[in-house]
Amino acid sequence: MVLIQSINEDQSTTDVIKWLIHFKQKFLRVNDVAPIGAFKYVNGNFIITINNKQIDFSKVDFYWYRRGKFEINPVLKNHSVKHFGREINTYIQNENSALLNYFLVYLKTDIKHSGSFITDVGINKMFVLDKASECNLIVPPSIITGNKIDVSAFLKKHCRIITKPLHSAFHYYSKKYWFPTYTTEVEPEVFKLMPDTFEHSLFQKLIEKKFEIRAFFWDSTIFSMAIFSQSDDQSKIDFRNYVFDRPNRCVPFNLPQKISKKILELANGLNINSGSADLIYSIDREFVFLEI
């Protein structure tokens, strides 16, 4: 059986599941926060219960971590006794945390897998850029600041700059609307509206591109595509700002061997066995690494 951990809104997970159905493979998908109601660990094997469904990991052939997380439902919630109530709650939380951490390590080391909550969620964009630079990949000049004066100096030096989240994009879902954030150019009218101080943010030099590249790596193999996002004003800064009625042209692309080798070296250094590297092929004919 294939165990998939993802989120409700992820279309890529659904697309993969269609192939599993096509090949008549058994699978189980858990979404968003998966609440573990019961644990059992016997003879080196975990058996857990989620939403009254038991998962025996001796029968899990492959685990794919896409998104989401596991949590343990405590048996005693808001436990209060006359004495030691807070201390007991803290003790239970620490015990559950130790158990969950061991379980996550088990998934990464004892089960054949792709992705891991431990490494995937822990990826830090700035740390990845540092490591990419150490692997001799070209990366954009970057600063982190919460001061408008610093942004002004950076903008003056590079002429065009963008801002993007340090961690992950902000999304808000309501019954009628979806509000996402994208990588955004700091244009003059935007700069004027910025306060003198603000929450610490990431700014980078805007790299003008011929096209973007998404390179999906799986162990020692890379599958890449070129994305002609610059052909539409809506997607030219961030291709995720999709133009649904005029989709960006995407074609298979063979990365130069030296670039592929550097990406795999980076992935190995980050201890991740699958993921996607985003790059730009610039107007200066350079492969510029953006992030994983």
Side-chain angles (χ1 to χ4, degrees):
M1 180 182 73
V2 177
L3 176 63
I4 301 169
Q5 187 170 8
S6 188
I7 58 175
N8 281 319
E9 299 84 8
D10 190 63
Q11 182 61 38
S12 296
T13 304
T14 303
D15 292 339
V16 170
I17 285 175
K18 290 178 181 178
W19 282 104
L20 292 175
I21 293 171
H22 173 76
F23 287 113
K24 299 179 180 179
Q25 297 294 312
K26 292 182 179 180
F27 68 89
L28 176 64
R29 175 176 178 171
V30 292
N31 282 335
D32 301 311
V33 176
I36 301 174
F39 266 105
K40 185 186 292 185
Y41 181 70
V42 180
N43 297 326
N45 178 62
F46 269 101
I47 300 174
I48 67 173
T49 302
I50 297 177
N51 296 328
N52 297 317
K53 184 174 183 62
Q54 194 175 79
I55 304 173
D56 184 345
F57 280 84
S58 67
K59 298 177 182 178
V60 173
D61 303 302
F62 195 88
Y63 167 62
W64 176 31
Y65 175 77
R66 168 69 173 160
R67 289 175 179 163
K69 65 178 180 178
F70 287 114
E71 280 189 356
I72 298 178
N73 278 345
V75 176
L76 301 175
K77 296 182 179 179
N78 299 320
H79 185 69
S80 59
V81 293
K82 187 174 182 179
H83 302 289
F84 310 123
R86 184 174 63 182
E87 288 79 2
I88 290 174
N89 283 332
T90 301
Y91 173 76
I92 292 172
Q93 290 171 5
N94 290 338
E95 288 289 285
N96 284 342
S97 178
L99 174 57
L100 184 59
N101 288 339
Y102 181 61
F103 174 62
L104 294 175
V105 171
Y106 166 86
L107 291 177
K108 182 173 173 58
T109 56
D110 290 23
I111 301 292
K112 191 175 181 181
H113 67 280
S114 172
S116 165
F117 180 86
I118 295 173
T119 51
D120 293 16
V121 175
I123 286 180
N124 181 286
K125 288 184 183 180
M126 296 306 296
F127 178 75
V128 170
L129 286 175
D130 289 342
K131 290 297 181 182
S133 184
E134 291 175 11
C135 294
N136 295 314
L137 286 161
I138 299 172
V139 300
S142 307
I143 64 167
I144 300 171
T145 186
N147 192 300
K148 187 175 183 178
I149 294 175
D150 297 331
V151 178
S152 177
F154 192 66
L155 183 58
K156 185 176 180 180
K157 181 178 180 179
H158 296 292
C159 299
R160 296 181 69 186
I161 64 174
I162 57 94
T163 184
K164 62 196 295 189
L166 278 161
H167 182 249
S168 59
F170 172 81
H171 297 270
Y172 173 76
Y173 295 92
S174 72
K175 292 181 179 180
K176 293 185 178 180
Y177 302 104
W178 171 45
F179 296 93
T181 57
Y182 299 106
T183 297
T184 306
E185 182 174 1
V186 182
E187 297 177 320
E189 58 269 27
V190 174
F191 178 78
K192 289 178 183 178
L193 293 173
M194 291 173 63
D196 292 336
T197 58
F198 44 86
E199 294 296 327
H200 293 92
S201 304
L202 170 62
F203 299 89
Q204 292 181 324
K205 177 184 176 180
L206 186 150
I207 308 296
E208 295 191 63
K209 61 193 173 187
K210 285 182 173 291
F211 52 86
E212 293 183 57
I213 300 164
R214 170 149 289 194
F216 175 73
F217 55 88
W218 178 287
D219 289 333
S220 59
T221 306
I222 292 184
F223 307 90
S224 302
M225 68 176 178
I227 307 167
F228 293 90
S229 53
Q230 82 288 354
S231 60
D232 194 289
D233 286 341
Q234 183 172 318
S235 61
K236 67 181 181 179
I237 300 298
D238 190 332
F239 83 88
R240 295 170 301 178
N241 193 5
Y242 298 116
V243 186
F244 289 102
D245 57 340
R246 300 184 311 280
N248 294 152
R249 180 170 175 248
C250 299
V251 298
F253 183 82
N254 290 325
L255 276 172
Q257 188 174 2
K258 65 179 182 179
I259 301 297
S260 295
K261 185 177 179 181
K262 291 175 183 179
I263 291 173
L264 293 175
E265 179 186 349
L266 173 61
N268 185 61
L270 295 170
N271 194 28
I272 51 179
N273 66 354
S274 69
S276 293
D278 288 341
L279 303 98
I280 282 176
Y281 186 65
S282 72
I283 59 174
D284 297 322
R285 300 182 182 276
E286 292 181 320
F287 290 93
V288 182
F289 174 86
L290 300 179
E291 62 182 80
I292 287 180

